[in-house]
Amino acid sequence: MAKILVTGGAGYIGSHTVLALLNKGHQVVVVDNLFNASYESLVRVQKLANKSLTFAEVDIRDKAALSQVFAQESVDAVIHFAGLKAVGESVQKPLAYYQNNVEGTLTLVEVMKQHQCYHLVFSSSATVYGEANQPPYIETQPLGNPTSPYGKTKAMVEQILMDVAASDQRFKITNLRYFNPIGADISGDIGEDPNGIPNNLMPFVAQVAVGKREKLAIFGDDYPTKDGTCLRDYIHVSDLAQGHVDALNWLFNQQEGCCEAFNLGTGDPLSVLDIVRGFEQYSEQKIAFEIAPRRSGDLPAFWADSDKARSQLQWTPVKTLQDMMVDTWRWQSKNPNGY
């Protein structure tokens, strides 16, 4: 099996992907600066997989330290999660987002090239479609102009990686555009543990259920949707992790250089109220909420056309809404304060 370096591997999606890689027999090297993650997640991943991994506390912008990891480990491929990810915060701190997400990726790719590592799976986002494209989003649509600096960094990095692949046929790259990951590993031992007030719906709902938050704010109930609340494409994080493993397998089977984008979503959008009601149904916890004014930049609806991932990567999401809700509650109730 291959040796895979995972940047940001201690984070929410990263830790679930590391678990999936270990369970498939790969060796894993995790690089993470632990700015928005906990090493405890990796301790638990190793217990769940009954396998060890290599960890380096390194910021991907630190070229010398990153290069040292590559020199020691003889890496076959990289899955790149490391970066800042809060849309609202990116508006307040754009420089931090461009430095971490764009500069960090440039440094990573330079070091990969130095050490003759040419397989890369990049954690992108559906935000790259911007506001001009209409759902369901499909990979043939042009890169849009996202409203937030966070979204712009993802679109910029995708463009950079396309240019890199075009300039050097040794590079084989996938840009995985995903939508709204929720849920947790079925064990309840790893899950989403945001710093401070959650930016995303699901951890906020779970924290209300466990008593950490008084009530949920639903931003707007007057959108042109079935119940007035925003529609999103929610995907179980374990399905998403499997998508990265499948993308890696696809890259290893490519005969020529490439840079391909794939949507990872269910294609079945759910509203904010669907999520709240679903959580109440499957966790048997009541969620207090209030309707708040719309948030700037929120689109009424977006979801994926994932046919390309299904046909080319042989990837199929299998987790249901019930799985998403039950697994979220199992994680939150076992770990009321996170890690």
Side-chain angles (χ1 to χ4, degrees):
M1 281 289 154
K3 182 177 281 191
I4 314 300
L5 186 141
V6 182
T7 74
Y12 173 44
I13 306 169
S15 59
H16 287 79
T17 302
V18 168
L19 178 59
L21 290 166
L22 290 173
N23 285 337
K24 284 288 192 295
H26 294 293
Q27 293 176 275
V28 178
V29 180
V30 171
V31 167
D32 200 307
N33 65 3
L34 301 180
F35 174 74
N36 193 28
S38 170
Y39 179 69
E40 175 64 22
S41 67
L42 297 177
V43 172
R44 297 185 185 190
V45 162
Q46 291 173 94
K47 284 182 182 174
L48 289 169
N50 197 25
K51 290 174 185 164
S52 61
L53 55 80
T54 302
F55 174 71
E57 189 173 344
V58 168
D59 189 302
I60 59 168
R61 294 169 295 174
D62 186 338
K63 193 171 186 178
L66 190 60
S67 188
Q68 189 174 6
V69 174
F70 273 82
Q72 291 171 344
E73 296 299 336
S74 187
V75 172
D76 296 305
V78 174
I79 300 180
H80 177 32
F81 293 105
L84 299 176
K85 61 176 186 178
V87 171
E89 182 186 60
S90 75
V91 177
Q92 307 300 322
K93 301 177 180 178
L95 291 180
Y97 275 71
Y98 289 115
Q99 286 172 344
N100 276 274
N101 298 5
V102 181
E103 182 186 325
T105 304
L106 290 173
T107 302
L108 172 64
V109 175
E110 285 174 352
V111 172
M112 287 177 64
K113 196 165 184 176
Q114 282 176 3
H115 294 273
Q116 300 181 357
C117 176
Y118 299 106
H119 294 86
L120 175 63
V121 176
F122 172 56
S123 164
S124 190
S125 165
T127 56
V128 301
Y129 288 106
E131 292 189 5
N133 289 307
Q134 294 299 308
Y137 295 139
I138 189 166
E139 296 88 348
T140 51
Q141 291 172 329
L143 282 176
N145 183 27
T147 53
S148 71
Y150 162 75
K152 287 186 174 79
T153 66
K154 292 294 188 183
M156 283 181 187
V157 169
E158 282 207 26
Q159 187 61 63
I160 289 165
L161 294 178
M162 285 188 270
D163 292 342
V164 167
S167 72
D168 187 338
Q169 286 297 298
R170 292 173 295 183
F171 272 98
K172 297 170 184 177
I173 300 170
T174 58
N175 294 322
L176 299 185
R177 299 170 179 170
Y178 37 83
F179 288 70
N180 294 69
I182 61 175
D185 183 66
I186 194 168
S187 66
D189 290 336
I190 59 172
E192 188 167 11
D193 181 26
N195 286 339
I197 299 173
N199 290 298
N200 297 327
L201 173 64
M202 201 69 246
F204 208 113
V205 168
Q207 289 188 12
V208 171
V210 86
K212 278 188 78 172
R213 308 278 167 201
E214 181 187 355
K215 58 187 171 184
L216 169 73
I218 295 177
F219 298 105
D221 64 350
D222 58 350
Y223 286 97
T225 60
K226 60 183 182 179
D227 59 24
T229 64
C230 292
L231 284 171
R232 296 290 181 265
D233 194 332
Y234 294 94
I235 178 171
H236 196 292
V237 66
S238 296
D239 281 336
L240 193 57
Q242 183 59 44
H244 291 76
V245 177
D246 293 341
L248 199 61
N249 293 337
W250 183 84
L251 283 181
F252 284 141
N253 287 320
Q254 297 311 298
Q255 302 302 310
E256 298 178 346
C258 60
C259 184
E260 287 284 338
F262 294 94
N263 289 336
L264 296 183
T266 64
D268 183 19
L270 297 166
S271 73
V272 174
L273 283 175
D274 285 335
I275 293 295
V276 172
R277 301 304 185 211
F279 187 86
E280 289 183 330
Q281 178 182 350
Y282 295 117
S283 72
E284 299 181 349
Q285 305 298 310
K286 190 70 180 165
I287 302 300
F289 68 86
E290 65 179 6
I291 304 299
R294 289 186 182 192
R295 280 188 306 198
S296 175
D298 273 352
L299 299 176
F302 62 77
W303 67 93
D305 180 317
S306 296
D307 286 351
K308 184 179 177 183
R310 292 168 193 261
S311 62
Q312 294 192 32
L313 303 184
Q314 308 300 307
W315 171 80
T316 304
V318 295
K319 300 284 190 175
T320 63
L321 174 64
Q322 182 173 352
D323 294 327
M324 297 176 198
M325 301 301 116
V326 169
D327 293 345
T328 296
W329 180 235
R330 184 184 298 110
W331 152 254
Q332 192 70 69
S333 56
K334 282 179 74 172
N335 304 272
N337 296 308
Y339 287 112

